[in-house]
Amino acid sequence: MGDRKSGLKKMGIAAFFLPIFIMLVVFAVDGIYPFGDRSFLSTDMYHQYMPFFSEFMRSVKSGRGTDYTWNVGIGSNFLALYVYYLASPFHWLGLLIPEAHYMEFLTYLVVVKIGLCGLTAYAYFFKRGEAELRAAAEKSDAWPGRTYRQGMALFFSLGYALSGFLAAYNWNIMWLDCVILLPLILMGLERLVFEQKPFLYCITLAFSILTNYYISIMICIFLVFYYIYLVCMKKGWWDKFYSLGDFVVFSLLAGGMAAVLLIPEVCAILATDFGDISFPQKVESYFSVMEMLARHCVAVSVEKGLDHWPNIYCGAAVFLLVPLYAVNERIRAGRRLGMLALAGIMLLSFGTNVLDFAWHGLNYPDSLPGRQSFIYILLVLTMCFDGVTHLDLQRKEERKTILWIYLGVAVMMLFVEKFGEHEDLVTGVEWLTLLFVTAYAVVLYQM
């Protein structure tokens, strides 16, 4: 037991520090302080978030409060700015930092938050299916062991922490707390539905809404879909009805705990252009499914502008592992179908104007498209994790399946090259992606 806990702790530490180490390597290569004289702060992080944070620190240290300030324009409702940009509890650590080093503080706060994304994703992946593992051990069934599961949880946690979403939007520091909390919120919802334990779900959702209500809108929309999926997996009509009551009550309770900041913010929003909702007049499609799937390729440029391309890269392994999940008979068909349907709904949302409008709080984003991409990424990585941890690689049929899926991916890359071209796809990325998929296929085949 001691060895198990020690191994779990070491993997958890690695899930936190490996993304941080990789980010520091990136800083060193790009000459970002202290490895050079360049700053990590860019675009709005430099022009808005840094000045807002500095004003927040000055207000708190001077005892002026945070409800109003005369230092933004000719005067501004600073509480509204605080709720959207500064409500993260991590910002209070700035009270320990001299004002001359606020820029470095925000820079490395982003790095730490990326590490925390890896840690929470690792916790979520590893906790999935522990009951299945114990049941299989009692039956002496062939099943991947705990060390293997820990390794896979670490691998996919890196995919979450270093995803295309975080590569594109890590400078939106006020969004990152919600990205950190999402794996814990889903873990909490699963406990609420299957174990009648609502505490984790309620607390983490409340923190998410408190830290950034805007990104939490997208999380809440997804939670409705994910709850429907979970309850369909649950047996017994009375249990389903009972869990619905828990879901409604504790979701409202989470919103109620956040109301102290949420209500003033809603009042402030209604006085702005964001409060004017104008529904799309007709349904339009931005791009084809093939073009969207091509965004999973290696070396695809991140999108931050007015185009609608979602930043969904989370490792080339998804091309191999999602189909492997889809055909894995050790996972119930209904469970597989439900997860694939959720992923399909989200993919459709990226490319359809009406659905995109709904996901973004009944408003079109002013640049920075696909802000819900991190939810889709966690969903896809969850399927990948479930797929590889339900494999029985001692069976010849499993190895044949890997081979056939690999050949299917190769054919798909031919189609991507022919029909999925757009300006963010550098020439040859399809074959670079296939090279990585080949490496993953060889590793799985030889295990």
Side-chain angles (χ1 to χ4, degrees), residues 198-212:
F199 179 79
L200 179 62
Y201 170 72
C202 186
I203 293 298
T204 52
L205 181 58
F207 268 114
S208 178
I209 298 171
L210 276 169
T211 55
N212 194 269

Side-chain angles (χ1 to χ4, degrees), residues 255-332:
M257 287 191 285
V260 63
L261 294 180
L262 195 58
I263 292 176
E265 185 65 18
V266 170
C267 294
I269 287 174
L270 292 176
T272 68
D273 291 339
F274 195 86
D276 297 330
I277 299 173
S278 179
F279 284 93
Q281 298 300 309
K282 61 179 181 179
V283 178
E284 296 178 356
S285 178
Y286 300 138
F287 28 69
S288 68
V289 173
M290 187 61 68
E291 288 175 313
M292 277 190 285
L293 291 177
R295 298 290 296 174
H296 279 292
C297 286
V298 174
V300 172
S301 300
V302 297
E303 175 58 51
K304 301 179 185 179
L306 295 173
D307 289 334
H308 297 280
W309 300 114
N311 297 293
I312 56 176
Y313 174 77
C314 51
V318 301
F319 284 112
L320 180 69
L321 298 181
V322 171
L324 200 58
Y325 169 84
V327 299
N328 194 322
E329 294 181 354
R330 300 184 95 188
I331 304 171
R332 280 196 298 153

Side-chain angles (χ1 to χ4, degrees), residues 109-408:
L109 184 56
V110 169
V111 175
V112 170
K113 286 187 177 185
I114 288 174
L116 289 172
C117 288
L119 180 60
T120 58
Y122 171 79
Y124 174 65
F125 291 136
F126 180 72
K127 288 296 182 181
R128 288 184 66 82
E130 279 289 278
E132 291 176 332
L133 182 63
R134 289 192 294 269
E138 292 172 1
K139 297 177 183 178
S140 300
D141 288 347
W143 205 265
R146 185 167 275 100
T147 301
Y148 175 83
R149 291 174 60 82
Q150 289 176 355
M152 291 296 102
L154 175 61
F155 177 76
F156 292 113
S157 72
L158 291 176
Y160 184 68
L162 302 172
S163 66
F165 176 88
L166 283 166
Y169 300 150
N170 56 52
W171 51 277
N172 285 290
I173 191 170
M174 67 280 187
W175 295 352
L176 299 189
D177 290 55
C178 297
V179 183
I180 294 168
L181 288 167
L182 177 63
L184 301 181
I185 294 171
L186 297 190
M187 185 191 301
L189 182 56
E190 290 167 8
R191 288 183 180 178
L192 180 148
V193 172
F194 296 114
E195 302 176 30
Q196 292 76 53
K197 296 179 179 179
F199 179 79
L200 179 62
Y201 170 72
C202 186
I203 293 298
T204 52
L205 181 58
F207 268 114
S208 178
I209 298 171
L210 276 169
T211 55
N212 194 269
Y213 70 91
Y214 175 66
I215 296 299
S216 295
I217 291 172
M218 304 168 199
I219 292 177
C220 289
I221 292 172
F222 178 73
L223 288 175
V224 173
F225 288 110
Y226 196 60
Y227 170 77
I228 294 171
Y229 162 73
L230 291 177
V231 83
C232 288
M233 298 299 104
K234 193 176 176 68
K235 297 179 180 179
W237 286 105
W238 170 249
D239 287 341
K240 291 181 180 182
F241 178 78
Y242 187 83
S243 70
L244 175 61
D246 281 351
F247 177 64
V248 172
V249 168
F250 288 101
S251 296
L252 292 175
L253 182 58
M257 287 191 285
V260 63
L261 294 180
L262 195 58
I263 292 176
E265 185 65 18
V266 170
C267 294
I269 287 174
L270 292 176
T272 68
D273 291 339
F274 195 86
D276 297 330
I277 299 173
S278 179
F279 284 93
Q281 298 300 309
K282 61 179 181 179
V283 178
E284 296 178 356
S285 178
Y286 300 138
F287 28 69
S288 68
V289 173
M290 187 61 68
E291 288 175 313
M292 277 190 285
L293 291 177
R295 298 290 296 174
H296 279 292
C297 286
V298 174
V300 172
S301 300
V302 297
E303 175 58 51
K304 301 179 185 179
L306 295 173
D307 289 334
H308 297 280
W309 300 114
N311 297 293
I312 56 176
Y313 174 77
C314 51
V318 301
F319 284 112
L320 180 69
L321 298 181
V322 171
L324 200 58
Y325 169 84
V327 299
N328 194 322
E329 294 181 354
R330 300 184 95 188
I331 304 171
R332 280 196 298 153
R335 180 174 163 187
R336 285 178 278 149
L337 182 61
M339 291 289 279
L340 291 166
L342 286 174
I345 290 170
M346 297 206 70
L347 268 179
L348 186 64
S349 300
F350 294 133
T352 307
N353 65 329
V354 175
L355 297 177
D356 189 47
F357 179 82
W359 276 101
H360 290 92
L362 301 182
N363 242 288
Y364 285 119
D366 182 14
S367 72
L368 312 184
R371 302 178 186 187
Q372 76 277 27
S373 300
F374 70 101
I375 304 173
Y376 169 81
I377 287 169
L378 183 61
L379 184 66
V380 167
L381 291 174
T382 299
M383 288 191 286
C384 293
F385 176 78
D386 286 351
V388 296
T389 53
H390 286 73
L391 285 177
D392 182 2
L393 294 173
Q394 303 304 315
R395 297 174 59 213
K396 292 182 179 180
E397 290 79 2
E398 299 278 17
R399 297 179 184 276
K400 288 181 180 179
T401 300
I402 293 171
L403 179 59
W404 281 111
I405 290 175
Y406 171 75
L407 293 175

Side-chain angles (χ1 to χ4, degrees), residues 13-88:
I13 292 171
F16 175 68
F17 281 106
L18 272 177
I20 291 177
F21 173 75
I22 292 170
M23 286 296 297
L24 293 178
V25 171
V26 172
F27 279 19
V29 171
D30 288 345
I32 296 172
Y33 182 85
F35 305 101
D37 58 0
R38 298 182 64 190
S39 171
F40 180 69
L41 277 64
S42 63
T43 59
D44 288 349
M45 191 177 185
Y46 180 79
H47 297 292
Q48 292 186 35
Y49 313 158
M50 174 68 181
F52 292 160
F53 175 76
S54 299
E55 176 62 17
F56 170 56
M57 287 290 102
R58 285 193 290 267
S59 296
V60 173
K61 289 178 179 179
S62 66
R64 294 199 310 265
T66 58
D67 56 342
Y68 199 86
T69 180
W70 294 101
N71 296 327
V72 177
I74 59 173
S76 176
N77 175 3
F78 195 72
L79 180 60
L81 292 176
Y82 171 81
V83 174
Y84 183 77
Y85 294 102
L86 301 164
S88 169

